[in-house]
Amino acid sequence: MTILDGKKTSEQIKQEIADEVTKIKSEGGKIPHLAAVLVGKDGASQTYVNSKVKDCEQVGFGSTLVQLDENTGEQELLDSVQEINDNPDIDGIIVQLPLPDQISVQKVTEIIRPEKDVDGFHPVNVGRMVKGLPAYIAATPFGIMQLLERYQVETSGKNCVIIGRSDIVGTPMSILMARKANPGNCTVTLCHSRTKDIKAHTLEADIVIAALGRPGFLTGEMVKDGVVVIDVGITRVPDSTRKRGYALKGDVDFDSVSPKCSHITPVPGGVGPMTRAALLWNTLQAAKNSFYHSVATTE
Ligand code: GUN
């Protein structure tokens, strides 16, 4: 059984990015700059955004953190994003989700200029991805594709079952795993809350991607021998034995599933760090202004 080590792989990717930044600097080029917008005080969101800013420092990017009060109105946020859109120093923009109820996620997503949409959430980027055109691909799906590619996991002709149909992970993963590319070329089944018998599907799967946000959902008796398992879950579960008061739990019951696997991602140290590295990679592309020339991996 091979552990798909997202921590180690993400460090490699970050080193590649840092080397490229050094080269850009020596040539007097544009240093990549990410702007992160955080509305409110959600603990997990604050942690994620702080990590993203720290990652930027690690690879030599510039970063701007815009922190807005949780009572911020929709127009105020839209104006703030527009200002960043118009700032030529800033290459990439993310607005951390979830947003407070008074703000439309759709409006915010759509106001970000597609060339600066390093989250890959804008309909232009989603549409380009679906058509197999170069696009920013959302960081978690992109990070998973990188992990599969770098570990040379065979995907062609395999049955891939994805559990969870979110905009950010499950739905884009279903497109990427089915497309004519490597990794890709899978026969994809997208399971969700209305799927009648998820176990019947996962038992037929060569690759399972668990992205539903239910700790320990996928258990050993739901998978066959030799399966590749990707665990996207990172739910905070209360844990009084830890100083911070919680533990991160994946959607996969690692103890019962891992003995049956050919490959598996751990939590923590699997998909999470790959997501962070993928965001940096997208931001580097934005700074290089190569939106129309890169990203899609094709055979
Ligand atoms: N919230 C959870 N994941 C993400 C992400 O990838 N990007 C943003 N902007 N917010 C998120």
Side-chain angles (χ1 to χ4, degrees):
M1 188 262 292
T2 303
I3 296 278
L4 298 170
D5 187 338
K7 184 146 175 38
K8 192 177 87 186
T9 309
S10 71
E11 289 301 333
Q12 281 163 3
I13 294 172
K14 283 194 278 188
Q15 189 55 55
E16 291 164 17
I17 293 170
D19 290 347
E20 197 151 342
V21 173
T22 305
K23 186 160 164 275
I24 291 170
K25 269 187 191 156
S26 72
E27 292 167 351
K30 169 82 182 65
I31 305 295
H33 192 121
L34 175 71
V37 182
L38 174 64
V39 185
K41 291 216 170 334
D42 178 72
S45 291
Q46 276 183 325
T47 306
Y48 294 147
V49 167
N50 289 338
S51 304
K52 289 169 185 177
V53 169
K54 218 171 75 195
D55 290 340
C56 284
E57 282 166 18
Q58 193 188 344
V59 298
F61 289 3
S63 63
T64 299
L65 175 56
V66 180
Q67 280 185 287
L68 300 172
D69 186 85
E70 60 194 290
N71 298 316
T72 300
E74 183 176 272
Q75 194 55 48
E76 194 185 332
L77 177 59
L78 293 173
D79 290 346
S80 176
V81 173
Q82 195 58 269
E83 211 175 290
I84 307 171
N85 271 339
D86 295 338
N87 182 342
D89 279 345
I90 293 175
D91 304 295
I93 307 173
I94 59 157
V95 177
Q96 189 65 30
L97 304 179
L99 288 168
D101 291 345
Q102 72 273 17
I103 297 172
S104 154
V105 174
Q106 190 195 335
K107 279 191 193 163
V108 173
T109 303
E110 292 188 10
I111 202 171
I112 296 173
R113 277 173 57 181
E115 309 92 285
K116 293 192 176 191
D117 169 40
V118 288
D119 255 333
F121 294 168
H122 192 286
V124 165
N125 279 312
V126 177
R128 291 179 67 92
M129 178 199 64
V130 170
K131 290 184 72 71
L133 298 169
Y136 293 118
I137 294 171
T140 300
F142 186 42
I144 294 169
M145 296 308 277
Q146 278 292 311
L147 205 52
L148 293 171
E149 187 174 333
R150 287 173 184 246
Y151 275 88
Q152 298 182 333
V153 175
E154 182 60 71
T155 61
S156 184
K158 305 290 186 188
N159 287 332
C160 176
V161 170
I162 297 162
I163 314 171
R165 59 180 157 185
S166 72
D167 268 3
I168 295 181
V169 184
T171 296
M173 270 325 292
S174 70
I175 308 278
L176 294 170
M177 293 303 278
R179 72 182 179 174
K180 193 171 182 178
N182 181 28
N185 281 320
C186 285
T187 305
V188 172
T189 304
L190 184 55
C191 295
H192 46 74
S193 52
R194 302 290 175 96
T195 300
K196 289 226 164 68
D197 185 356
I198 291 182
K199 185 179 171 185
H201 293 287
T202 55
L203 276 173
E204 296 295 320
D206 304 304
I207 302 169
V208 178
I209 301 173
L212 70 162
R214 294 238 317 252
F217 176 84
L218 189 78
T219 54
E221 78 273 11
M222 294 172 75
V223 295
K224 66 179 182 184
D225 281 329
V227 68
V228 176
V229 172
I230 306 291
D231 188 351
V232 184
I234 39 161
T235 307
R236 289 181 171 197
V237 175
D239 183 345
S240 56
T241 67
R242 312 221 173 197
K243 215 166 85 184
R244 60 186 181 185
Y246 65 86
L248 289 180
K249 286 271 180 254
D251 290 346
V252 175
D253 177 40
F254 190 89
D255 290 346
S256 64
V257 171
S258 60
K260 298 181 102 173
C261 290
S262 67
H263 300 76
I264 186 168
T265 61
V267 176
V271 173
M274 290 302 294
T275 296
R276 288 166 58 176
L279 177 66
L280 294 173
W281 203 88
N282 279 348
T283 306
L284 176 65
Q285 304 314 311
K288 288 161 71 179
N289 202 16
S290 54
F291 181 59
Y292 295 104
H293 313 289
S294 64
V295 181
T297 311
T298 47
E299 277 183 325

